[in-house]
Amino acid sequence: MFEHSTLPLAPRPRFFRRLAWSTLAGLLIVGISLGIGIWGYMRFEQLDWLDALLNAAMLLGGMGPVDKPVTDGGKLFASLYALFAGIVFLVAIGVMLAPIVHRLLHRLHLDDEEN
């Protein structure tokens, strides 16, 4: 997907296309993860969809759940989802920033070769 360090820097339109695709991929990862959280809270804590969305979004954003889990299944789900959400957040940010970091490193490498 990215050009090798021996190749010239990609033109801006290609870079912006990569940036759009990586942003879409990151948002898709977050959306699927949010869906898993909503399903889990509805399934194990019998929350309505809006409360499940709130709890899943708060965990995914790193804030913690709003409603304290009361069932054993809900407690187990919330624990596992919290660990999962922390990792997903980092992965999504990495996916979205990959084209920017690659372009920056590639540009620095090209500058280094010119000297």
Side-chain angles (χ1 to χ4, degrees), residues 13-32:
R14 184 181 304 158
F15 167 69
F16 287 125
R17 222 176 9 259
R18 284 181 187 159
L19 192 58
W21 278 111
S22 65
T23 301
L24 181 65
L27 292 175
L28 185 64
I29 291 168
V30 169
I32 290 170

Side-chain angles (χ1 to χ4, degrees), residues 6 28 30 42 46 48 54 56 87-88 90 97 99:
T6 58
L28 185 64
V30 169
M42 289 176 70
Q46 285 74 46
D48 63 82
L54 176 62
I87 293 168
V88 163
L90 294 173
L97 290 179

Side-chain angles (χ1 to χ4, degrees), residues 48 71 83 89:
D48 63 82
T71 65
L83 294 172
F89 181 76

Side-chain angles (χ1 to χ4, degrees), residues 19-60:
L19 192 58
W21 278 111
S22 65
T23 301
L24 181 65
L27 292 175
L28 185 64
I29 291 168
V30 169
I32 290 170
S33 301
L34 194 58
I36 292 169
I38 293 169
W39 173 83
Y41 274 109
M42 289 176 70
R43 166 76 172 86
F44 294 109
E45 285 296 309
Q46 285 74 46
L47 295 178
D48 63 82
W49 74 270
L50 194 55
D51 288 332
L53 170 65
L54 176 62
N55 280 283
M58 293 296 278
L59 267 175
L60 201 55

